[in-house]
Amino acid sequence: MVNLLSCLLLVLLSLHYFVACLAANTKNITTDQSALLAFKSLITSDPYDMLANNWSTSSSVCSWVGVTCDERHGRVHSLILQNMSLRGIVSPNLGNMSFLVILDLKNNSFSGQFPKELCRLHKLRVLHISYNKFEGGIPAALGDLSQLQYLYLGANNFSGFVPQSIGKLRQLKELDTIQNRLSGPIPQSISNLSSLERIGLSFNYFSAVNTKNITTDQSALLAFKSLITSDPNVCNWVGATCDGRYGRVHSLILRNMSLRGTVSPNLRNLSILVILDLKNNSFSCQFPKELCRLHILKVLRISYNEFEGEIPVTLGDLSRLQYLYLDANNFSGFIPQSIGNLRWLKEY
Ligand SMILES: *[C@@H]1O[C@H](CO)[C@@H](O)[C@H](O)[C@H]1NC(C)=O
Ligand SMILES: *[C@@H]1O[C@H](CO)[C@@H](O)[C@H](O)[C@H]1NC(C)=O
Ligand SMILES: *[C@@H]1O[C@H](CO)[C@@H](O)[C@H](O)[C@H]1NC(C)=O
Ligand SMILES: *[C@@H]1O[C@H](CO)[C@@H](O)[C@H](O)[C@H]1NC(C)=O
Ligand SMILES: *[C@@H]1O[C@H](CO)[C@@H](O)[C@H](O)[C@H]1NC(C)=O
Ligand SMILES: *[C@@H]1O[C@H](CO)[C@@H](O)[C@H](O)[C@H]1NC(C)=O
Ligand SMILES: *[C@@H]1O[C@H](CO)[C@@H](O)[C@H](O)[C@H]1NC(C)=O
Ligand SMILES: *[C@@H]1O[C@H](CO)[C@@H](O)[C@H](O)[C@H]1NC(C)=O
Ligand SMILES: *[C@@H]1O[C@H](CO)[C@@H](O)[C@H](O)[C@H]1NC(C)=O
Ligand SMILES: *[C@@H]1O[C@H](CO)[C@@H](O)[C@H](O)[C@H]1NC(C)=O
Ligand SMILES: *[C@@H]1O[C@H](CO)[C@@H](O)[C@H](O)[C@H]1NC(C)=O
Ligand SMILES: *[C@@H]1O[C@H](CO)[C@@H](O)[C@H](O)[C@H]1NC(C)=O
């Protein structure tokens, strides 16, 4: 009897804890409100009085400047505070806004570490914190933001390595880390990001794995020198522009010309080519991997063609590449891991 009673008591007690626990874990718009008030309390300068009077408990959170709620859950869906010259650190309490989809703090003066608590925002699709003063490492927990599509971290003071966990962001379409103090190798896991359309890595201190040195370029130029005299008129050909110093083809731009056929691997012999732009033609078949030997190529634009097959792994040998456009083709498979070698890449 005593046993039965104490057992019953135990059940009641645990039920009580269960209910209490449930209540504590149930988030509602009040949670969002206290998170935003905590965020406001750490803002030390708001020169245009954007939040000072507006973010007041006398009005609904959903009417606060920069805040949008979703109709279905009545919870905060986006927080957009661009160009407001706000100064301060970002409250970790923002991590409680469990329905947040867009967080955009671009172009303010937020500083300190990016709070890892924000990596609990599992619905987040856009994280835009470029043009601030964030410092320290990029938290590895960022890889937990499994819905993230747009990640802009550029023009801050982030340092350290880019975590491998970035490769878990399978929905990522755009990644910008331009102009920080990031170092170490670009993580190989980036090659797993098959949805990636644009990536910006330049103006950091990444170590390039395969950067070819200038001696290699010089010997390539010397090896092809005979071409100059055997083809003196090439500089007059449509689409070709020659370099004043060497008198050799420096750029080849053939856009919108409805050209059909395959690209000859012999183009690789244009060894001082800097720009190859074949956008919007009907070139088909595989992109010749031989062209990955154009060591000083800076621009490769072959969008809007009918190229197919896999993107050549040797693309990573184009170590000077800054602009790479492969979109609107029929390529299959993954972005090669070697893309991590392209340390000067600005747009992809
Ligand atoms: C939110 O939940 C808390 C309990 O966790 C409750 O006290 C409060 O009234 C709720 N707010 C709204 C607006 O439903
Ligand atoms: C806050 O700003 C928004 C947008 O500018 C405005 O619609 C709202 O009325 C303001 N609320 C208060 C209390 O000033
Ligand atoms: C912020 O400023 C930039 C540059 O002036 C501008 O392009 C952008 O539209 C502004 N954003 C907002 C939300 O006003
Ligand atoms: C940042 O915002 C200021 C206004 O507060 C604007 O003048 C400037 O152009 C913006 N810069 C960027 C990069 O958006
Ligand atoms: C929100 O998150 C912080 C830590 O990130 C926590 O300490 C706090 O209790 C949470 N507040 C609410 C109202 O859930
Ligand atoms: C960036 O951080 C470094 C230290 O890691 C510091 O020396 C430098 O002053 C910072 N730059 C800015 C613009 O805050
Ligand atoms: C890419 O993803 C696969 C499958 O999830 C995984 O096994 C592999 O380790 C990942 N590669 C890298 C370089 O992260
Ligand atoms: C370039 O690399 C070759 C070997 O790959 C090496 O022998 C040579 O010394 C290097 N030149 C410079 C300037 O680093
Ligand atoms: C190619 O065509 C597009 C769309 O008609 C046009 O915007 C672009 O300027 C053209 N490019 C050249 C180099 O003619
Ligand atoms: C491609 O070029 C044709 C003309 O040859 C033009 O009508 C079309 O708009 C161009 N498309 C793109 C995507 O530039
Ligand atoms: C150009 O390169 C091809 C290989 O892609 C080679 O077979 C050919 O001999 C080269 N042509 C000249 C004129 O050097
Ligand atoms: C693209 O490739 C697929 C599969 O290889 C093929 O079925 C389709 O016809 C191709 N489309 C074009 C425009 O070449």
Side-chain angles (χ1 to χ4, degrees):
M1 191 62 192
V2 172
N3 268 346
L4 191 65
L5 244 175
S6 57
C7 196
L8 196 67
L9 197 66
L10 201 68
V11 167
L12 282 174
L13 262 176
S14 33
L15 197 66
H16 172 79
Y17 282 123
F18 179 69
V19 171
C21 181
L22 203 65
N25 275 339
T26 309
K27 294 188 170 117
N28 57 25
I29 189 72
T30 312
T31 321
D32 292 345
Q33 189 191 55
S34 45
L36 288 171
L37 289 174
F39 173 77
K40 183 184 172 186
S41 74
L42 295 180
I43 290 176
T44 54
S45 171
D46 175 6
Y48 307 126
D49 279 344
M50 297 304 289
L51 316 182
N53 304 313
N54 190 284
W55 282 26
S56 137
T57 48
S58 62
S59 62
S60 156
V61 174
C62 302
S63 73
W64 290 2
V65 72
V67 176
T68 314
C69 294
D70 72 65
E71 304 232 321
R72 191 149 146 247
H73 306 98
R75 298 281 308 274
V76 174
H77 168 272
S78 62
L79 179 60
I80 303 179
L81 301 169
Q82 285 194 4
N83 304 346
M84 291 186 177
S85 300
L86 301 173
R87 187 177 297 276
I89 62 169
V90 171
S91 166
N93 289 40
L94 281 192
N96 294 339
M97 298 176 61
S98 44
F99 280 77
L100 200 64
V101 173
I102 301 174
L103 177 58
D104 185 344
L105 305 176
K106 184 187 173 190
N107 191 23
N108 284 287
S109 292
F110 288 108
S111 56
Q113 302 230 346
F114 181 76
K116 63 179 184 314
E117 288 81 359
L118 271 56
C119 303
R120 297 195 309 237
L121 297 169
H122 292 296
K123 290 183 188 287
L124 206 63
R125 276 190 242 138
V126 180
L127 178 57
H128 199 338
I129 55 170
S130 303
Y131 297 96
N132 276 286
K133 294 182 175 157
F134 288 105
E135 59 186 26
I138 297 175
L142 211 63
D144 297 343
L145 295 171
S146 59
Q147 301 299 311
L148 208 61
Q149 294 178 1
Y150 301 92
L151 177 57
Y152 306 107
L153 308 173
N156 276 290
N157 206 6
F158 284 114
S159 55
F161 289 18
V162 174
Q164 282 286 351
S165 61
I166 208 110
K168 292 199 293 179
L169 302 174
R170 293 308 176 91
Q171 309 294 325
L172 205 62
K173 290 185 181 160
E174 301 196 1
L175 170 63
D176 168 16
T177 69
I178 290 174
Q179 220 181 315
N180 277 288
R181 300 164 57 82
L182 296 164
S183 58
I186 292 162
Q188 294 271 298
S189 63
I190 281 184
S191 64
N192 263 353
L193 299 175
S194 50
S195 304
L196 210 57
E197 290 163 8
R198 292 167 72 94
I199 183 170
L201 304 167
S202 46
F203 301 105
N204 278 290
Y205 299 94
F206 290 121
S207 53
V209 188
N210 268 347
T211 314
K212 300 268 188 295
N213 67 25
I214 195 74
T215 319
T216 320
D217 289 344
Q218 278 173 350
S219 51
L221 280 178
L222 289 172
F224 293 115
K225 202 178 169 189
S226 58
L227 253 177
I228 304 170
T229 46
S230 64
D231 262 327
N233 295 327
V234 79
C235 301
N236 298 325
W237 293 3
V238 168
T241 309
C242 283
D243 167 86
R245 186 152 162 224
Y246 301 100
R248 297 203 38 206
V249 178
H250 165 271
S251 69
L252 186 60
I253 302 179
L254 300 165
R255 280 209 209 179
N256 301 349
M257 290 190 174
S258 304
L259 301 175
R260 188 171 293 278
T262 61
V263 170
S264 164
N266 287 38
L267 275 190
R268 70 174 258 206
N269 297 337
L270 299 171
S271 53
I272 68 158
L273 201 65
V274 173
I275 301 174
L276 179 58
D277 187 342
L278 305 176
K279 184 179 174 184
N280 191 23
N281 285 286
S282 296
F283 288 110
S284 58
C285 300
Q286 300 227 341
F287 181 75
K289 61 180 185 315
E290 290 82 356
L291 303 195
C292 300
R293 300 197 191 167
L294 293 168
H295 294 302
I296 62 171
L297 201 68
K298 285 191 185 153
V299 180
L300 177 59
R301 191 191 307 262
I302 57 169
S303 316
Y304 295 92
N305 277 285
E306 292 163 17
F307 288 109
E308 57 188 40
E310 301 207 337
I311 298 170
V313 173
T314 44
L315 212 61
D317 295 346
L318 292 170
S319 58
R320 306 288 178 84
L321 209 61
Q322 293 182 7
Y323 299 92
L324 173 61
Y325 305 95
L326 307 174
D327 53 301
N329 276 292
N330 209 4
F331 286 119
S332 54
F334 291 107
I335 296 169
Q337 293 191 351
S338 59
I339 204 105
N341 299 337
L342 303 177
R343 68 183 309 200
W344 304 113
L345 209 58
K346 289 183 180 148
E347 283 192 20
Y348 172 71

